Amino acid sequence: MRLHLGLAQMDPKLGDVQRNLEKHLAYIEQAAAQGVELLIFPELSMTGYQVNDLVPEVSIRASADDPVYAAMLDASRRTGMDIMFGFVHQDQRQRFYIADAYLSGGETLHIHHKVYLCTYGMFDEARYFDAGDQVRAFDTRFGRVGMAICEDFWHISTPYLLWMDGADILLLNSASPSRGLDASDKFSGSRWVELVNMAYASFFTGFVVHCNRVGYEDGKNFWGGSSVVDPNGEMLLGGDYFDESLHTITIDLNELHRTRSRLPLLRDERPELVQRELERILARNNR
Amino acid sequence: MSAHTPFEAERARIAHKLTINPDIATKVLTGFIKDEIHKAGMKRAVLGLSGGIDSAVSAYLSALALGPENVLAVRMPYKSSSADSLSDADAVIQALGLQHLTVEITGMADPLFAQFPEMSNGRKGNIMARLRMTVLYDQSVAFGGLVMGTSNKTELLLGYSTVYGDSGVALQPIGDLYKTQLRQLAAALGVPQSLQVKPPSADLWEGQTDEGELGFTYADVDQVLYLLVDERYTLDEVAEEGFDAKFVRDVWRRVKANHYKRTMPNIAKLSQRTIGHDFLFLRDWA
C-alpha cells in the first residue's frame, strides 16, 4: 500500500487566524491537485507560535459551529484528503491547549493536546496553555497513526506510548526555532531533531513524518527541514531549510512488513516489564 | 613550563566552537532583515556607515536582503574622524552600489561641547553617538526606512555602546554574533580587505581603539563570554580553562553592570495590567 504524503512547510502570520486559514486552504488546493492523500501542517499553523496574550482571541473550538474549524472540515470533505493541522483549542471549560486535529472526510478522527509544554530558556508555553493528559494512537484509512507536537517528541515516552498503542506512522509537527550556529552545515538544534527522528524510526521500525514551520517571530527563525524517515531509519525526504514550500512524497507502507520481518523489535518489546519496573520505580520514589 | 602552553588545546577547542558557517548566518540574517522591515510595512533601511567592520557587514546583509537601492548609507564624520573611516565607508558604498549621504556632525556637536569646556572624551563620544542616532532617525522618515542596528554580541554584552546612541535602532541583525564570528562573516561576504584588517575603533577621538580602551582583546573576551553566556560555565570553570580569574570576574561584572542597556526601562506597576509586566505581546504582533 502506498501513501502520497504532503508536508506544508508554511510560515503562519502571528495572530491572524483568517489569513492563516486562507493559506491552509491554498496549500490544500495545491496538494489536492498533486494527488496528496494526507497533508500535514506545522504546530500552531493556524495562529503562529508565540501567541502569548493573544491566546483567547485566536483560540477555536473543535466543532462545525466554529467557522474556521468548519472550513477545515469542509476542505477535508471536498478534497477527500486527510488533513492534520495545528491550532489553539479552547475546550468547554475555557481551558486552552496547543492542539493538532486530524480530519478525514469532513469528520474529526482525533485531537491531540500537547502533553509536554515547553517552559524553559526561550519558551514560555505553560504560562499560557494547559497541558494535555492523553497519548493515544488512532485508526485512519492508511493504518494506525499517532500525533505528537514538538516538545512531546523530545521526550521518548510520547512516541514509545504511541508505538505501544499501535501507531505505525508517527505524525510530528513543530514550531522549532533555529539555534546553535556553528561551523557545520546545519544548526545544532536541527541536527538533534533529525537524529532523534531517525532514532525513533529505527527503534520503532516505523515511519516518522515531521513538519516544521519556517519564518520569523521577534528575531527567532524557524528552520523548516520537514522530513520523512522510513522504518529502517533512512531519511527519505528532508534537507530543505528556512523557506516555505509544499513537500510531497509517496511512501510504501509495505516497508513496515519487510523491516519487521527482518528486525522484530516490536514483537520482542516487553511493555509489561516496562510497566512492572516503572511501578516499582514510582513506588520507591513515592511520587 | 611556560604560562600559556598547557591551555593551547582548550583555546583551540573554544575557538573552533566560535567558528560559524557563514552561508547559514547570511541566509537567516538576510531573511530576518527582510521579514522585520516588511512586517513594519516598509521595504527600505537606513544605516550609519562608520568605516568599521560591524556596519560594513550590516550593509552587506541589508543590500542582499533589500537590494542596494533600498539601503541608505549615511556617513556622519566629526572633524576629528580619521580620513580612513570615510574612505573605508566609501569603499563599501561603491562595492555595493548603496544610496548614500554624508552629514557632518561637527556643526551640531561643537556648540554643546563649547558650553562645557571640561567635558571628557567619554561624554563627547556619547553626544556624537546620540547625534548620529538623531540624524539616522530623521533620515528614516525622509528615506522611508527602518534604522538598522550594527551592534555585535560582544559589545552588547559588555555594554560597550551609548544608550540611545548606537543602541537606538529598530532591529539588530548581527546582535547574536561575537566580534570574532563577525570577522568570519565579513570575510565570507567579501567586505573590503582594508576594513577587515584594521584594528576596531569607535573613532571618537584620534588613535582610539576598542581593544586599547577595553584593556583586552576580542579574541580573549569572546572566548570568556562564549563560555559564560552560551555554555553556561561558572566563573571558576572559565578560570579553570586557563583564563586569568580576575579578568573573568571583571568581564562578568561589566556584563552585569550594563544589563540596563539591554532592557527597556522598568515601569512602576500600579494597575491590574501593566506594560512590560503582564501586557505580553511580541514586538512582531503589530
Side-chain angles (χ1 to χ4, degrees):
Chain A
M1 183 185 180
R2 289 173 194 275
L3 165 58
H4 195 42
L5 275 172
L7 303 167
Q9 185 168 296
M10 71 176 279
D11 175 13
K13 183 167 165 53
L14 183 70
D16 194 338
V17 173
Q18 200 52 44
R19 187 158 151 187
N20 291 328
L21 173 61
E22 287 161 18
K23 204 165 199 173
H24 280 70
L25 297 175
Y27 269 110
I28 289 167
E29 294 307 323
Q30 192 189 343
Q34 295 180 35
V36 168
E37 297 166 288
L38 168 56
L39 178 62
I40 298 163
F41 289 91
E43 177 181 16
L44 292 176
S45 54
M46 204 57 86
T47 60
Y49 177 58
Q50 295 168 97
V51 282
N52 298 7
D53 277 6
L54 293 169
V55 164
E57 71 179 77
V58 300
S59 64
I60 60 180
R61 295 183 188 277
S63 79
D65 300 337
D66 184 288
V68 174
Y69 201 82
M72 293 299 287
L73 285 172
D74 180 60
S76 76
R77 185 186 306 113
R78 194 178 63 248
T79 59
M81 186 167 64
D82 289 12
I83 299 167
M84 168 180 162
F85 74 101
F87 65 111
V88 176
H89 185 203
Q90 180 174 10
D91 77 1
Q92 297 301 326
R93 301 191 66 195
Q94 327 309 326
R95 290 173 297 193
F96 302 102
Y97 300 92
I98 297 174
D100 277 340
Y102 187 105
L103 312 181
S104 181
E107 303 292 330
T108 302
L109 292 194
H110 192 72
I111 288 178
H112 172 68
H113 291 159
K114 191 173 191 174
V115 169
Y116 287 106
L117 296 180
C118 197
T119 308
Y120 57 82
M122 64 179 143
F123 305 106
D124 209 11
E125 293 174 7
R127 164 181 280 275
Y128 302 99
F129 295 104
D130 205 344
D133 55 9
Q134 291 186 352
V135 177
R136 303 276 167 90
F138 57 98
D139 292 313
T140 72
R141 59 200 171 105
F142 313 114
R144 199 160 168 83
V145 309
M147 301 193 290
I149 308 173
C150 207
E151 192 79 358
D152 283 344
F153 60 90
W154 286 56
H155 292 259
I156 199 168
S157 51
T158 315
Y160 179 79
L161 285 170
L162 291 171
W163 186 44
M164 285 296 93
D165 202 20
D168 289 331
I169 308 173
L170 291 177
L171 304 176
L172 315 178
N173 62 2
S174 61
S176 178
S178 303
R179 52 204 186 272
L181 178 69
D182 54 24
S184 80
D185 62 352
K186 53 187 89 161
F187 281 100
S188 63
S190 318
R191 281 203 302 275
W192 195 92
V193 170
E194 291 177 355
L195 179 69
V196 297
N197 286 347
M198 289 193 289
Y200 290 147
S202 307
F203 288 142
F204 305 143
T205 53
F207 286 96
V208 175
V209 180
H210 175 220
C211 186
N212 185 36
R213 66 163 287 186
V214 294
Y216 295 81
E217 286 181 1
D218 266 27
K220 290 187 188 72
N221 163 256
F222 301 91
W223 52 274
S226 299
S227 61
V228 177
V229 190
D230 82 358
N232 305 306
E234 295 293 329
M235 199 176 270
L236 302 178
L237 181 154
D240 181 26
Y241 303 105
F242 309 121
D243 294 319
E244 272 201 300
S245 51
L246 172 66
H247 296 285
T248 62
I249 184 172
T250 301
I251 59 173
D252 179 3
L253 296 175
N254 292 340
E255 193 62 32
L256 290 163
H257 155 75
R258 293 189 287 267
T259 301
R260 289 176 184 179
S261 302
R262 170 179 67 82
L263 186 62
L265 298 180
L266 177 60
R267 184 196 70 189
D268 298 342
E269 180 64 17
R270 298 176 62 189
E272 69 290 343
L273 179 146
V274 174
Q275 182 186 19
R276 203 165 58 238
E277 291 301 316
L278 274 179
E279 280 170 359
R280 177 186 61 79
I281 292 162
L282 290 172
R284 186 193 63 196
N285 291 349
N286 195 26
R287 285 159 71 184
Chain B
M1 192 168 73
S2 81
H4 57 273
T5 39
F7 296 106
E8 269 172 14
E10 281 84 349
R11 295 300 178 87
R13 182 182 62 80
I14 303 163
H16 176 69
K17 294 190 120 185
L18 280 164
T19 307
I20 60 163
N21 180 322
D23 296 339
I24 296 180
T26 301
K27 172 79 179 168
V28 172
L29 298 182
T30 53
F32 168 72
I33 290 169
K34 211 182 302 180
D35 184 78
E36 280 287 293
I37 287 180
H38 290 175
K39 274 177 182 160
M42 295 183 168
K43 56 174 194 168
R44 307 175 106 182
V46 176
L47 171 130
L49 204 57
S50 68
I53 198 171
D54 295 358
S55 62
V57 167
S58 305
Y60 272 74
L61 293 171
S62 301
L64 284 171
L66 308 169
E69 70 281 8
N70 289 317
V71 181
L72 177 64
V74 189
R75 298 187 300 176
M76 295 168 286
Y78 179 69
K79 64 188 178 194
S80 67
S81 297
S82 82
D84 287 353
S85 294
L86 272 179
S87 62
D88 284 337
D90 191 57
V92 172
I93 290 167
Q94 299 309 325
L96 293 171
L98 302 175
Q99 302 225 43
H100 57 95
L101 192 64
T102 302
V103 181
E104 276 263 2
I105 62 165
T106 312
M108 294 181 266
D110 278 352
L112 184 52
F113 295 171
Q115 291 186 46
F116 301 95
E118 78 290 2
M119 192 182 274
S120 65
N121 277 340
R123 284 173 67 187
K124 287 181 181 172
N126 283 336
I127 289 169
M128 287 189 258
R130 293 189 182 111
L131 287 172
R132 289 178 174 129
M133 178 275 294
T134 302
V135 170
L136 291 175
Y137 269 89
D138 178 54
Q139 288 304 317
S140 166
V141 179
F143 186 68
L146 291 186
V147 176
M148 185 68 59
T150 62
S151 303
N152 63 59
K153 189 171 187 174
T154 311
E155 68 184 19
L156 286 172
L157 284 169
L158 294 174
Y160 190 55
S161 67
T162 298
V163 70
Y164 306 120
D166 49 323
S167 70
V169 296
L171 66 162
Q172 291 280 29
I174 58 167
D176 203 20
L177 289 171
Y178 290 107
K179 188 79 173 186
T180 44
Q181 296 175 315
L182 200 93
R183 286 181 176 139
Q184 301 165 40
L185 185 55
L189 289 169
V191 168
Q193 201 62 27
S194 60
L195 282 82
Q196 291 192 47
V197 296
K198 72 178 179 186
S201 168
D203 198 18
L204 296 172
W205 55 86
E206 212 180 323
Q208 181 194 23
T209 65
D210 291 3
E211 293 177 336
E213 201 186 359
L214 288 164
F216 43 73
T217 66
Y218 279 117
D220 282 344
V221 79
D222 280 359
Q223 293 210 350
V224 168
L225 288 170
Y226 172 78
L227 293 177
L228 288 170
V229 175
D230 296 58
E231 295 282 347
R232 300 172 192 256
Y233 275 48
T234 65
L235 299 181
D236 289 342
E237 286 169 345
V238 177
E240 285 164 19
E241 295 290 315
F243 294 95
D244 177 66
K246 182 176 179 308
F247 171 51
V248 176
R249 276 199 311 276
D250 287 347
V251 166
W252 194 242
R253 193 177 300 123
R254 197 175 167 129
V255 169
K256 191 174 160 187
N258 285 295
H259 191 59
Y260 76 95
K261 293 186 180 177
R262 295 184 294 267
T263 56
M264 294 294 279
N266 291 337
I267 293 176
K269 184 170 174 66
L270 293 171
S271 72
Q272 283 283 9
R273 198 173 184 205
T274 310
I275 299 157
H277 294 265
D278 39 26
F279 182 71
L280 301 173
F281 300 97
L282 293 195
R283 188 178 170 104
D284 284 356
W285 169 38

